Amino acid sequence: IELQKNQPEFKFTVEEYLIRVASESRTTRGREVLAEHEALLSKVYERYGVPPQYLVALWGIETDFGRLTGGFPVLDAVATLAYGGSRSDFFRNELLCALRIVDRGHISADRMVGSWAGATGQLQFMPSTFYSYAVDYNGDGRIDIWNDLEDILASAANYLSRSGWVHDQPWGWEVSLPKDFDRSLVGLDNRRSLDEWQKLGVRPLRGENVNNTSAWLGSVVTPDGQKGPAFMAMENYRVIYRWNRSQHFVVAVGTLA
């Protein structure tokens, strides 16, 4: 409860956040992980249509590729927050879902650990997310998002796929805006074709190849406000945003991928 009440108010800029979670060392490790698990990632890609680099990026940012999964007993955490937290109804549902996970033999109660808020496993799924998206990829009768890499990566891919992943589009790219750009057009609620954005003076900042994609719909977003960098947010930007409703998180996943 103390952690819930005292969540850090300091907001990192995109640049600061990227330094923390999409560092060169994590990028290097991510390339190693891609190569190491190429066969499995390819099979998951064939089934769910989510490119391997995005699964590896999410895995790296969420738990540093399974190294940091949290040390709070999940049942204790969600029961406490259901009783005395600021979102009792939400955590009451998470408690019931967590109890079902144990009851159905996916993991024992003493081994189900995670964050103070109850996110668990190598992808930090909330218990309700487990029931919505986690899959028994290897068919052994258990869904193991804690230790079984097949279930871990397939569950992430299933989440993204069912959330609307578009297999032939990128997440987005950084753009430059003209000095007279109408700032009321900024935001995920405002979708326009890339051709329309082009006519308004929006340009890829680093020469991304977006030829023959003029009909794609995107939104201009500025996670740090007017003075920060601007990005063209495609549909997959929105999909990652459903995973974690932080635009800094989305940019970090896309950049690391």
Side-chain angles (χ1 to χ4, degrees), residues 28-47:
T28 299
R29 178 59 184 145
R31 292 193 183 106
E32 294 171 351
V33 169
L34 269 174
E36 184 179 350
H37 302 293
E38 181 181 4
L40 172 59
L41 287 162
S42 295
K43 290 179 182 178
V44 170
Y45 175 57
E46 288 176 9
R47 178 175 295 189

Side-chain angles (χ1 to χ4, degrees), residues 14 54 168-177 192-195 197-198 201-223 229-238 240 247 250-251 254-255:
V14 167
Y54 289 95
D168 62 346
Q169 286 188 11
W171 64 279
W173 52 87
E174 192 170 355
V175 295
S176 62
L177 305 178
R192 294 175 182 242
S193 70
L194 295 187
D195 187 50
W197 289 122
Q198 175 87 3
V202 179
R203 300 288 186 272
L205 191 64
R206 297 184 178 88
E208 284 84 352
N209 183 12
V210 291
N211 295 329
N212 304 315
T213 59
S214 60
W216 283 359
L217 297 180
S219 303
V220 171
V221 296
T222 54
F231 298 88
M232 181 60 63
M234 305 303 294
E235 185 59 33
N236 292 334
Y237 189 107
R238 301 170 193 275
I240 301 170
Q247 295 205 47
V250 178
V251 172
T255 301

Side-chain angles (χ1 to χ4, degrees), residues 8-75:
E9 293 182 359
F10 175 71
K11 179 181 178 182
F12 295 109
T13 65
V14 167
E15 183 179 3
E16 291 167 338
Y17 192 73
L18 288 174
I19 290 172
R20 291 171 63 90
V21 305
S23 63
E24 278 300 316
S25 62
R26 183 163 286 164
T27 302
T28 299
R29 178 59 184 145
R31 292 193 183 106
E32 294 171 351
V33 169
L34 269 174
E36 184 179 350
H37 302 293
E38 181 181 4
L40 172 59
L41 287 162
S42 295
K43 290 179 182 178
V44 170
Y45 175 57
E46 288 176 9
R47 178 175 295 189
Y48 298 101
V50 179
Q53 64 267 30
Y54 289 95
L55 303 179
V56 171
L58 281 164
W59 188 21
I61 290 176
E62 286 289 8
T63 63
D64 197 25
F65 310 107
R67 190 175 68 87
L68 303 170
T69 58
F72 289 83
V74 168
L75 291 176

